Amino acid sequence: MENNELIRRAEDLSRRCDKTNCITNTAFLTPAEQLGIHSWAARFQPGCKIVFSGGRPECERRAAFFLPYYEDEESFDVSEYLGVIKATAGFGMPGHRDYMGAALGLGIKREWLGDIWVIESTAYIFCMNSVKEHLLSSLDKVGRFGVKTAEIAMSEVAVPERKVIKVGFTVMSMRLDAVAAGMFCVSRTEAAKLISEGRVSLNYIECLRTDAGVKEHDIISIRGFGKGEITELGGTTRRGRQFVNAEIYK
């Protein structure tokens, strides 16, 4: 979704929430889209109550829920809007791409689907409640394999273990080119070239500035190299270089 269209949609949902005193929500959003709405709200709608949820705290794709004045995050029940389907393959182990292709092949739009977690022969498909019954009744084959589906509670979902590679390095300053070079084991010159080519994203947004500041818990990705998170900033060396710890997602 283009950023201008996204913000117009957020403005409309916020107005409808205020006017009707009812919860309004977007479809599932990418992390970059979530950041766009969060930044818009912080700047132009500081009193707006927004909850981002994909069903579980570990979900990457989330919908934005606009809450009326009487609702708070603790009492908000996301299961009224989102569901999760457990799909089990009898033989074989179809992957994420297979499940996504099968769901899209049923006429379900990508934004109606959240995360799809695959653990061996089982997949957990987060979705809007509006398409839940369609998935349950129609998703019977994924790739070359037959699958059985069942609706389960969010609390019953098995969370996949995230596999990471831990790296540590030092930088003279927390510039994007220096940190990206340290994280992905390339030269700073090469990192700067990748940034200028538009292949580097900072917190899911393409960044063309080599001197962009990076902080703890920022997400850096380089197309063709991978994605990772700055997990911790340590002390400094005698020469004033900053210790940085990061995790690269496998």
Side-chain angles (χ1 to χ4, degrees), residues 109-137:
K109 292 183 179 180
R110 178 64 184 95
E111 60 264 32
W112 298 341
L113 298 171
D115 283 16
I116 299 177
W117 295 347
V118 181
I119 305 175
E120 297 182 345
S121 61
T122 300
Y124 299 93
I125 305 170
F126 294 85
C127 63
M128 292 284 164
N129 279 344
S130 57
V131 299
K132 184 173 59 181
E133 291 302 325
H134 185 33
L135 282 168
L136 285 169
S137 62

Side-chain angles (χ1 to χ4, degrees), residues 171-182 187-202 205-215 220 222:
V171 293
M172 185 57 71
S173 66
M174 293 295 292
R175 291 169 47 113
L176 180 59
D177 57 352
V179 177
S187 70
R188 189 163 170 178
T189 300
E190 184 176 359
K193 182 174 182 291
L194 292 167
I195 292 169
S196 67
E197 292 173 347
R199 294 175 60 183
V200 179
S201 294
L202 177 60
I205 298 175
E206 179 185 298
C207 185
L208 299 174
R209 289 179 47 213
T210 56
D211 63 346
V214 178
K215 59 186 182 302
I220 297 175
I222 303 181

